[in-house]
Amino acid sequence: MTYRGDDGGRRMPPPRPPAGRSRDHQRAQMMPLPGRGQSPYDERTRPMGTREPEYMPPQGPPPRQAPPNRGDDYPPPRRRRRWGFGRILLTLLLVFVVFFAGIWVYLEFSIKRVDALADYDGRPVAAAGTNWLIVGSDSREGLTAADEENLATGDVAAAGGQRTDTIMVAHLPDNSTKPTLLSLPRDSQVKIPGHGTNKINAAFSLGGPKLLAQTVEGATGLHIDHYAEIGFGGFAKIVEAIGGVEMCIDKDMNDTVTGISIKAGCPQTLDGREALGFVRMRHSDATPRSDLDRVANQRKFIGALVSQIASPGTLLNPFDFFPLLSAAPDALTMDSGDHVHNLAGLAIAMRGISSGGVVTTTVPVTSGSAENWDKNKSKQLFDALKNDTEVPDSVIVN
C-alpha cells in the first residue's frame, strides 16, 4: 500500500510495530535514561488531557535573609550617645557636690584653732541642747597703723592687754523651743578661777579663751560645748567682703570716745568702720544705758549679718561669696575640737534673730551699770537653758 505525499512522490507507509508491543512500551522507550535528569522537551510535551497549572502569586513578603557574616574585621557600628536632661542634671549635681566639698575642706583646714575648752574638777555636766561661747575680742592682729586709725580701735597700751568687747552664749535646743542668744555684759563682776572677783572680760586678758570659758561656765552653770572668736580686723573684713550690712538706725549715733558718727536712716548700709563702731558704741546719746544698749545693738547686728551672709544674694554672687570665703579663715578662731559643720549649725540657728525666731536677752542685772546680776532672775534664765524650756518673759532684758 502506497500513498502520495505533498510533493507528489510515492511514500511507503511507516512500518507497523511488531505484534505484542503496546503503546506503553513505546512510551517507555522515550523515558530519560537514569542519571540524565528531566529533559526540557518533557516540559513542552505534556500528555494530552492535562492542564497547565495556573499562576499562583507569591503569598506574603519575601523571607528575610540573615545579614552576611562580616567576621571580626568588621565590628558593629557604635551608637552615638545623646545627652538627655537627666544626664545633664546629674553632671551639674556632681559639679556642685565637688565644689561644695572643696570649700568645706578649705575652711576646715584654714580656720584657726585654739584649745579653749578643757575638763577640770567641778565643771558643769552637759545638759540639754548645745551651748556656744561667742567672743568678740579687741585683737588687732593683721591691722596696720592706718587700719587701726581708720577703724578707731584705740591704743593697745591704753586698753591694758587683750580684752573682750563682746561675750555671748548661744543656746541651741534639742527640741522645738526657740534658740537663745544671751549677752553677758563685759563689766559683770564674777569669780575668776585663781584670780578672785573681777570683771568678766578680765578673764580673757588673764588666761585667754580657756580661762574665759571656765569663768563663764562657773558663773552660769552652763556647760560650754563650742567656742568661736572674732577680732576687730576680722570683723571689719567680713563686713567689707559682703559689701556692707543693711541696718535700720533709729537715731543719730555719735560716739564721743571713738569719734565715729552714724546717721539715722532705714535702711542704710554700714561699712566695716561703721559696723565696728556700731557694735562697740556706748558713749553716745543713742546709748543711754551704756553697756546694756551696746550688747542689744550687738545682737541686732549679728542677726542682720548672719541673715545677709546666708541670703542667696550673697551665696550666689561671686563678687561677695569669694571675698567672704577669703576673709573668713583669718577672721575666725574656733576650739580645736570644733568643725565647720558645727559652725554651719550655729549660723542656721541664728538666722532667726531678725525675724523673731531667736530669743535675745541680756543676763538680768540689778542696775544700769550692769555689774551685778539679779540672782533669782538669772537662775530662772540659766535653768530654762539647761532644761531646754521656754525662757520666761519676766527674765528677758532687751
Side-chain angles (χ1 to χ4, degrees):
M1 178 177 179
T2 62
Y3 66 95
R4 193 175 298 275
D6 294 337
D7 57 356
R10 296 178 180 271
R11 297 288 188 271
M12 293 298 293
R16 295 183 178 181
R21 294 184 178 180
S22 63
R23 292 182 179 270
D24 293 337
H25 177 71
Q26 185 176 5
R27 285 196 299 268
Q29 289 181 341
M30 299 177 63
M31 294 180 64
L33 296 176
R36 178 173 176 264
Q38 189 174 12
S39 171
Y41 178 78
D42 296 336
E43 294 294 330
R44 293 192 303 268
T45 57
R46 298 180 180 274
M48 295 181 62
T50 62
R51 298 179 60 185
E52 185 175 348
E54 296 180 358
Y55 171 76
M56 299 293 292
Q59 301 294 325
R64 294 184 59 184
Q65 296 183 354
N69 185 11
R70 301 189 178 199
D72 296 336
D73 295 337
Y74 297 89
R78 295 182 179 179
R79 297 181 59 185
R80 296 182 62 184
R81 296 181 178 180
R82 296 182 178 180
W83 284 77
F85 176 76
R87 186 183 295 272
I88 295 176
L89 184 61
L90 182 61
T91 301
L92 293 176
L93 180 62
L94 181 61
V95 171
F96 174 78
V97 170
V98 172
F99 177 72
F100 183 76
I103 293 175
W104 197 276
V105 172
Y106 164 73
L107 292 175
E108 185 69 38
F109 290 96
S110 299
I111 294 177
K112 293 177 291 186
R113 299 297 205 281
V114 64
D115 291 329
L117 307 177
D119 289 329
Y120 54 88
D121 292 338
R123 186 183 185 189
V125 297
T130 301
N131 296 312
W132 277 83
L133 177 59
I134 303 173
V135 175
S137 73
D138 61 2
S139 172
R140 295 154 176 83
E141 183 179 354
L143 294 180
T144 64
D147 293 333
E148 292 181 7
E149 183 178 357
N150 177 58
L151 296 176
T153 61
D155 183 51
V156 178
Q162 188 176 9
R163 294 181 179 271
T164 52
D165 270 24
T166 304
I167 304 174
M168 295 182 179
V169 173
H171 177 77
L172 313 184
D174 292 332
N175 52 29
S176 59
T177 58
K178 293 180 180 180
T180 300
L181 185 61
L182 170 66
S183 297
L184 309 180
R186 72 173 193 170
D187 292 337
S188 300
Q189 295 288 327
V190 297
K191 292 181 179 180
I192 300 177
H195 299 276
T197 301
N198 203 336
K199 294 181 180 181
I200 193 171
N201 71 336
F204 193 80
S205 60
L206 292 171
K210 185 178 294 186
L211 183 58
L212 176 62
Q214 186 176 350
T215 301
V216 171
E217 287 183 331
T220 63
L222 299 173
H223 180 93
I224 301 300
D225 303 288
H226 305 284
Y227 176 84
E229 177 189 332
I230 183 170
F232 282 170
F235 178 84
K237 287 180 180 178
I238 287 180
V239 174
E240 294 289 349
I242 60 175
V245 176
E246 286 191 358
M247 294 285 296
C248 284
I249 307 299
D250 298 330
K251 59 178 66 176
D252 291 347
M253 305 179 71
N254 301 295
D255 195 308
T256 58
V257 174
T258 63
I260 293 180
S261 297
I262 302 174
K263 297 298 182 180
C266 185
Q268 64 173 300
T269 301
L270 302 184
D271 59 19
R273 181 178 186 275
E274 294 170 333
L276 186 58
F278 178 77
V279 299
R280 298 183 64 207
M281 190 174 298
R282 63 172 178 168
H283 302 285
S284 169
D285 293 338
T287 55
R289 298 186 304 166
S290 186
D291 207 30
L292 292 178
D293 284 327
R294 179 169 69 168
V295 294
N297 288 337
Q298 289 172 353
R299 296 192 300 267
K300 183 179 180 181
F301 185 85
I302 288 177
L305 176 64
V306 173
S307 296
Q308 189 162 327
I309 289 176
S311 67
T314 299
L315 298 179
L316 299 180
N317 184 354
F319 297 101
D320 288 341
F321 179 75
F322 287 106
L324 174 64
L325 194 65
S326 176
D330 294 332
L332 290 173
T333 300
M334 296 196 303
D335 180 66
S336 57
D338 293 335
H339 301 283
V340 174
H341 67 270
N342 302 126
L343 193 63
L346 173 65
I348 293 173
M350 293 296 104
R351 286 187 61 187
I353 295 178
S354 299
S355 60
V358 176
V359 176
T360 60
T361 184
T362 305
V363 175
V365 295
T366 58
S367 64
S369 64
E371 292 183 357
N372 299 306
W373 295 354
D374 186 307
K375 294 183 179 179
N376 291 331
K377 291 184 177 181
S378 296
K379 186 178 184 304
Q380 294 180 52
L381 172 63
F382 299 144
D383 287 344
L385 299 182
K386 288 179 186 177
N387 301 318
D388 268 359
T389 57
E390 295 286 347
V391 177
D393 292 338
S394 59
V395 303
I396 295 178
V397 179
N398 295 317

